[in-house]
Amino acid sequence: VEVERATLHNFQDVARKDIRIGDMVVVQRAGDVIPYVVRPIEGLRTGHERLIEVPTQCPACGGPVIQRPDEVAVYCVNLNCPAILVRRLEDFASRGAMDIEGLGSRVAQQLVEMGLVRDLADVYALREEDLLTLEGFAKKRAENLLRAIAESKDRALWRVLVGLGIRHVGTVAAQALERHLGSIDAIMEATQEDLQGIEGIGPVIARSVVEFFAEPRNRQVVEKMRRAGVRMQPERAATGVRTLEGLTFESPLIVNDT
């Protein structure tokens, strides 16, 4: 079997095995299937090997990274990072979020690669002539996508929160935030203690929300969306749904003749 790639799971695994840049290593296939790095061959070291250090900045965007005390993974918290923007854009446009029909994975990839979208808010600055430069786009398809993008400006606040891609914030958590805080500004300014006081929002979600909005570039995206006309209103205001509160209904009198 020819092995082209083998994994080191995380920085903790690298440190435990003392794997260094320039090492010759032993590779094994777990279950005779998945190749992984077992250990370095110390006898072949030349002295020029270098330790692998945990990055303090994202290699793609240069932004700060975080490593939570209870996790070994390292995360970039910049919403605009090009390394994750394509997937974020796809999730932003999905049915569970902003529901922008026609903005799938392939279109998202093209928009990012061509520099037409550098952050999620750039979606709302797209023009027909921009879309016509994409592979597979003609006038009708461009018009349909622009219409879908315009319609997404009236999506409820909880959908915007899901679309922003805040770690651990799915539909249930986003709806709880909308219901209890009522505005994007209140959510952005809330402390971890404030958020943990909301039913259904635990310490993990609360910390994730605070960390997300502590990154200035993420706040800038929200402001760009606001200037572009994205309403970010609670669902009742966004959809025009009215409750039955204050209304009176008479029940018909039913007579049984038997």
Side-chain angles (χ1 to χ4, degrees):
V1 174
E2 181 178 341
V3 174
E4 296 182 351
R5 181 177 302 175
T7 60
L8 283 166
H9 296 290
N10 51 55
F11 288 107
Q12 189 178 71
D13 191 39
V14 169
R16 179 175 60 82
K17 295 177 179 179
D18 189 26
I19 305 291
R20 305 180 185 184
I21 298 172
D23 267 337
M24 297 290 289
V25 298
V26 174
V27 175
Q28 186 172 318
R29 298 171 70 213
D32 292 329
V33 177
I34 304 173
Y36 69 99
V37 178
V38 179
R39 59 178 174 82
I41 305 176
E42 296 182 2
L44 296 180
R45 283 180 171 167
T46 64
H48 297 291
E49 292 78 16
R50 294 177 289 122
L51 293 176
I52 298 174
E53 298 180 355
V54 178
T56 57
Q57 292 181 311
C58 173
C61 70
V65 296
I66 60 171
Q67 187 173 24
R68 300 179 176 89
D70 55 341
E71 297 184 34
V72 296
V74 177
Y75 300 96
C76 173
V77 295
N78 174 21
L79 185 67
N80 308 332
C81 177
I84 56 177
L85 182 56
V86 172
R87 182 58 185 270
R88 284 186 182 272
L89 181 56
E90 183 181 353
D91 290 343
F92 179 78
S94 68
R95 289 187 177 182
M98 300 301 278
D99 193 15
I100 303 176
E101 187 176 353
L103 209 172
S105 57
R106 178 57 185 152
V107 174
Q109 184 175 355
Q110 289 188 76
L111 290 171
V112 173
E113 287 178 351
M114 297 185 67
L116 295 172
V117 170
R118 293 184 172 86
D119 61 51
L120 295 180
D122 281 344
V123 167
Y124 296 100
L126 291 171
R127 303 166 301 174
E128 183 177 313
E129 52 264 39
D130 296 326
L131 298 179
L132 291 177
T133 64
L134 304 183
E135 181 181 348
F137 268 80
K139 183 177 178 62
K140 185 63 175 179
R141 186 179 179 187
E143 290 175 348
N144 289 341
L145 179 52
L146 289 175
R147 184 181 304 110
I149 291 171
E151 290 172 353
S152 76
K153 292 181 180 181
D154 288 328
R155 299 286 184 252
L157 173 58
W158 71 263
R159 287 183 173 273
V160 178
L161 294 173
V162 173
L164 286 173
I166 306 170
R167 184 172 165 79
H168 302 301
V169 176
T171 299
V172 174
Q175 289 176 337
L177 291 170
E178 177 192 272
R179 186 165 55 250
H180 289 272
L181 294 176
S183 74
I184 189 66
D185 295 299
I187 294 169
M188 289 195 295
E189 299 305 324
T191 65
Q192 186 166 335
E193 291 72 24
D194 295 333
L195 296 173
Q196 286 182 221
I198 299 173
E199 184 178 356
I201 304 296
V204 173
I205 295 177
R207 182 176 60 193
S208 182
V209 172
V210 170
E211 287 175 351
F212 182 88
F213 288 116
E215 167 56 49
R217 283 174 287 194
N218 294 341
R219 286 176 171 260
Q220 290 168 8
V221 168
V222 172
E223 293 307 318
K224 282 181 66 175
M225 287 183 183
R226 201 197 310 259
R227 291 195 301 270
V230 181
R231 295 181 61 193
M232 294 182 276
Q233 297 295 315
E235 185 148 38
R236 185 181 301 173
T239 61
V241 174
R242 299 177 59 189
T243 68
L244 302 181
E245 182 180 357
L247 302 180
T248 301
F249 297 88
E250 294 185 3
S251 177
L253 178 63
I254 300 177
V255 178
N256 192 337
D257 293 330
T258 59

PDB file of all heavy atoms in Angstrom, residues 230-247:
ATOM      1  N   VAL A 230     -30.238  44.339   6.336  1.00  0.00           N
ATOM      2  CA  VAL A 230     -30.657  43.114   7.022  1.00  0.00           C
ATOM      3  C   VAL A 230     -31.308  43.534   8.339  1.00  0.00           C
ATOM      4  O   VAL A 230     -30.672  44.181   9.170  1.00  0.00           O
ATOM      5  CB  VAL A 230     -29.463  42.178   7.279  1.00  0.00           C
ATOM      6  CG1 VAL A 230     -29.934  40.905   7.980  1.00  0.00           C
ATOM      7  CG2 VAL A 230     -28.774  41.836   5.967  1.00  0.00           C
ATOM      8  N   ARG A 231     -32.566  43.163   8.554  1.00  0.00           N
ATOM      9  CA  ARG A 231     -33.352  43.732   9.657  1.00  0.00           C
ATOM     10  C   ARG A 231     -32.952  43.168  11.022  1.00  0.00           C
ATOM     11  O   ARG A 231     -32.934  43.872  12.008  1.00  0.00           O
ATOM     12  CB  ARG A 231     -34.833  43.507   9.405  1.00  0.00           C
ATOM     13  CG  ARG A 231     -35.360  44.265   8.179  1.00  0.00           C
ATOM     14  CD  ARG A 231     -36.841  44.021   7.988  1.00  0.00           C
ATOM     15  NE  ARG A 231     -37.595  44.497   9.151  1.00  0.00           N
ATOM     16  CZ  ARG A 231     -38.870  44.192   9.374  1.00  0.00           C
ATOM     17  NH1 ARG A 231     -39.517  43.384   8.544  1.00  0.00           N
ATOM     18  NH2 ARG A 231     -39.505  44.670  10.421  1.00  0.00           N
ATOM     19  N   MET A 232     -32.689  41.861  11.095  1.00  0.00           N
ATOM     20  CA  MET A 232     -32.289  41.225  12.360  1.00  0.00           C
ATOM     21  C   MET A 232     -33.284  41.505  13.474  1.00  0.00           C
ATOM     22  O   MET A 232     -32.918  41.822  14.601  1.00  0.00           O
ATOM     23  CB  MET A 232     -30.874  41.686  12.768  1.00  0.00           C
ATOM     24  CG  MET A 232     -29.792  41.216  11.825  1.00  0.00           C
ATOM     25  SD  MET A 232     -28.125  41.695  12.298  1.00  0.00           S
ATOM     26  CE  MET A 232     -28.045  43.350  11.616  1.00  0.00           C
ATOM     27  N   GLN A 233     -34.574  41.387  13.155  1.00  0.00           N
ATOM     28  CA  GLN A 233     -35.637  41.609  14.132  1.00  0.00           C
ATOM     29  C   GLN A 233     -36.124  40.265  14.676  1.00  0.00           C
ATOM     30  O   GLN A 233     -36.006  39.234  14.026  1.00  0.00           O
ATOM     31  CB  GLN A 233     -36.807  42.349  13.476  1.00  0.00           C
ATOM     32  CG  GLN A 233     -36.452  43.734  12.979  1.00  0.00           C
ATOM     33  CD  GLN A 233     -36.091  44.663  14.115  1.00  0.00           C
ATOM     34  OE1 GLN A 233     -36.769  44.710  15.132  1.00  0.00           O
ATOM     35  NE2 GLN A 233     -35.005  45.399  13.946  1.00  0.00           N
ATOM     36  N   PRO A 234     -36.669  40.273  15.894  1.00  0.00           N
ATOM     37  CA  PRO A 234     -37.275  39.041  16.423  1.00  0.00           C
ATOM     38  C   PRO A 234     -38.329  38.506  15.469  1.00  0.00           C
ATOM     39  O   PRO A 234     -38.897  39.263  14.667  1.00  0.00           O
ATOM     40  CB  PRO A 234     -37.902  39.503  17.752  1.00  0.00           C
ATOM     41  CG  PRO A 234     -37.076  40.663  18.161  1.00  0.00           C
ATOM     42  CD  PRO A 234     -36.689  41.362  16.877  1.00  0.00           C
ATOM     43  N   GLU A 235     -38.618  37.240  15.559  1.00  0.00           N
ATOM     44  CA  GLU A 235     -39.447  36.578  14.554  1.00  0.00           C
ATOM     45  C   GLU A 235     -40.809  37.222  14.384  1.00  0.00           C
ATOM     46  O   GLU A 235     -41.290  37.384  13.284  1.00  0.00           O
ATOM     47  CB  GLU A 235     -39.630  35.098  14.885  1.00  0.00           C
ATOM     48  CG  GLU A 235     -40.380  34.342  13.821  1.00  0.00           C
ATOM     49  CD  GLU A 235     -39.928  32.911  13.701  1.00  0.00           C
ATOM     50  OE1 GLU A 235     -39.636  32.302  14.740  1.00  0.00           O
ATOM     51  OE2 GLU A 235     -39.870  32.418  12.579  1.00  0.00           O
ATOM     52  N   ARG A 236     -41.445  37.639  15.466  1.00  0.00           N
ATOM     53  CA  ARG A 236     -42.776  38.221  15.350  1.00  0.00           C
ATOM     54  C   ARG A 236     -42.727  39.502  14.522  1.00  0.00           C
ATOM     55  O   ARG A 236     -43.533  39.731  13.639  1.00  0.00           O
ATOM     56  CB  ARG A 236     -43.358  38.527  16.731  1.00  0.00           C
ATOM     57  CG  ARG A 236     -44.801  39.014  16.677  1.00  0.00           C
ATOM     58  CD  ARG A 236     -45.325  39.316  18.061  1.00  0.00           C
ATOM     59  NE  ARG A 236     -45.255  38.136  18.910  1.00  0.00           N
ATOM     60  CZ  ARG A 236     -45.522  38.146  20.211  1.00  0.00           C
ATOM     61  NH1 ARG A 236     -45.859  39.282  20.807  1.00  0.00           N
ATOM     62  NH2 ARG A 236     -45.452  37.037  20.919  1.00  0.00           N
ATOM     63  N   ALA A 237     -41.703  40.348  14.805  1.00  0.00           N
ATOM     64  CA  ALA A 237     -41.567  41.591  14.042  1.00  0.00           C
ATOM     65  C   ALA A 237     -41.143  41.320  12.613  1.00  0.00           C
ATOM     66  O   ALA A 237     -41.549  42.002  11.682  1.00  0.00           O
ATOM     67  CB  ALA A 237     -40.548  42.503  14.721  1.00  0.00           C
ATOM     68  N   ALA A 238     -40.330  40.282  12.412  1.00  0.00           N
ATOM     69  CA  ALA A 238     -39.810  39.998  11.075  1.00  0.00           C
ATOM     70  C   ALA A 238     -40.879  39.421  10.162  1.00  0.00           C
ATOM     71  O   ALA A 238     -40.880  39.646   8.970  1.00  0.00           O
ATOM     72  CB  ALA A 238     -38.632  39.021  11.175  1.00  0.00           C
ATOM     73  N   THR A 239     -41.814  38.656  10.736  1.00  0.00           N
ATOM     74  CA  THR A 239     -42.788  37.967   9.899  1.00  0.00           C
ATOM     75  C   THR A 239     -44.160  38.632   9.903  1.00  0.00           C
ATOM     76  O   THR A 239     -45.012  38.294   9.100  1.00  0.00           O
ATOM     77  CB  THR A 239     -42.966  36.517  10.375  1.00  0.00           C
ATOM     78  OG1 THR A 239     -43.442  36.546  11.731  1.00  0.00           O
ATOM     79  CG2 THR A 239     -41.650  35.763  10.332  1.00  0.00           C
ATOM     80  N   GLY A 240     -44.349  39.557  10.836  1.00  0.00           N
ATOM     81  CA  GLY A 240     -45.651  40.201  10.924  1.00  0.00           C
ATOM     82  C   GLY A 240     -46.705  39.321  11.581  1.00  0.00           C
ATOM     83  O   GLY A 240     -47.890  39.602  11.515  1.00  0.00           O
ATOM     84  N   VAL A 241     -46.297  38.262  12.276  1.00  0.00           N
ATOM     85  CA  VAL A 241     -47.242  37.364  12.938  1.00  0.00           C
ATOM     86  C   VAL A 241     -47.886  38.087  14.110  1.00  0.00           C
ATOM     87  O   VAL A 241     -47.208  38.728  14.905  1.00  0.00           O
ATOM     88  CB  VAL A 241     -46.517  36.095  13.437  1.00  0.00           C
ATOM     89  CG1 VAL A 241     -47.470  35.242  14.254  1.00  0.00           C
ATOM     90  CG2 VAL A 241     -45.982  35.313  12.252  1.00  0.00           C
ATOM     91  N   ARG A 242     -49.200  37.993  14.232  1.00  0.00           N
ATOM     92  CA  ARG A 242     -49.923  38.606  15.344  1.00  0.00           C
ATOM     93  C   ARG A 242     -50.455  37.528  16.267  1.00  0.00           C
ATOM     94  O   ARG A 242     -50.905  36.478  15.840  1.00  0.00           O
ATOM     95  CB  ARG A 242     -51.076  39.458  14.818  1.00  0.00           C
ATOM     96  CG  ARG A 242     -50.645  40.601  13.939  1.00  0.00           C
ATOM     97  CD  ARG A 242     -51.832  41.352  13.402  1.00  0.00           C
ATOM     98  NE  ARG A 242     -52.660  41.875  14.486  1.00  0.00           N
ATOM     99  CZ  ARG A 242     -53.852  42.430  14.283  1.00  0.00           C
ATOM    100  NH1 ARG A 242     -54.351  42.511  13.063  1.00  0.00           N
ATOM    101  NH2 ARG A 242     -54.543  42.899  15.301  1.00  0.00           N
ATOM    102  N   THR A 243     -50.421  37.808  17.568  1.00  0.00           N
ATOM    103  CA  THR A 243     -50.960  36.852  18.536  1.00  0.00           C
ATOM    104  C   THR A 243     -52.449  37.092  18.707  1.00  0.00           C
ATOM    105  O   THR A 243     -53.022  38.047  18.190  1.00  0.00           O
ATOM    106  CB  THR A 243     -50.257  37.021  19.895  1.00  0.00           C
ATOM    107  OG1 THR A 243     -50.649  38.284  20.445  1.00  0.00           O
ATOM    108  CG2 THR A 243     -48.748  36.972  19.746  1.00  0.00           C
ATOM    109  N   LEU A 244     -53.096  36.237  19.469  1.00  0.00           N
ATOM    110  CA  LEU A 244     -54.524  36.364  19.747  1.00  0.00           C
ATOM    111  C   LEU A 244     -54.788  37.172  21.013  1.00  0.00           C
ATOM    112  O   LEU A 244     -55.941  37.311  21.434  1.00  0.00           O
ATOM    113  CB  LEU A 244     -55.147  34.967  19.889  1.00  0.00           C
ATOM    114  CG  LEU A 244     -54.981  34.048  18.668  1.00  0.00           C
ATOM    115  CD1 LEU A 244     -55.668  32.715  18.932  1.00  0.00           C
ATOM    116  CD2 LEU A 244     -55.535  34.703  17.422  1.00  0.00           C
ATOM    117  N   GLU A 245     -53.723  37.699  21.615  1.00  0.00           N
ATOM    118  CA  GLU A 245     -53.877  38.445  22.858  1.00  0.00           C
ATOM    119  C   GLU A 245     -54.791  39.660  22.650  1.00  0.00           C
ATOM    120  O   GLU A 245     -54.639  40.438  21.714  1.00  0.00           O
ATOM    121  CB  GLU A 245     -52.497  38.913  23.346  1.00  0.00           C
ATOM    122  CG  GLU A 245     -52.551  39.660  24.679  1.00  0.00           C
ATOM    123  CD  GLU A 245     -51.170  40.092  25.129  1.00  0.00           C
ATOM    124  OE1 GLU A 245     -50.195  39.748  24.430  1.00  0.00           O
ATOM    125  OE2 GLU A 245     -51.091  40.771  26.158  1.00  0.00           O
ATOM    126  N   GLY A 246     -55.767  39.817  23.563  1.00  0.00           N
ATOM    127  CA  GLY A 246     -56.652  40.971  23.507  1.00  0.00           C
ATOM    128  C   GLY A 246     -57.870  40.771  22.629  1.00  0.00           C
ATOM    129  O   GLY A 246     -58.732  41.649  22.546  1.00  0.00           O
ATOM    130  N   LEU A 247     -57.977  39.630  21.957  1.00  0.00           N
ATOM    131  CA  LEU A 247     -59.121  39.367  21.084  1.00  0.00           C
ATOM    132  C   LEU A 247     -60.145  38.491  21.807  1.00  0.00           C
ATOM    133  O   LEU A 247     -59.793  37.680  22.674  1.00  0.00           O
ATOM    134  CB  LEU A 247     -58.666  38.690  19.790  1.00  0.00           C
ATOM    135  CG  LEU A 247     -57.632  39.454  18.950  1.00  0.00           C
ATOM    136  CD1 LEU A 247     -57.277  38.654  17.703  1.00  0.00           C
ATOM    137  CD2 LEU A 247     -58.169  40.828  18.554  1.00  0.00           C
TER     138      LEU A 247
END
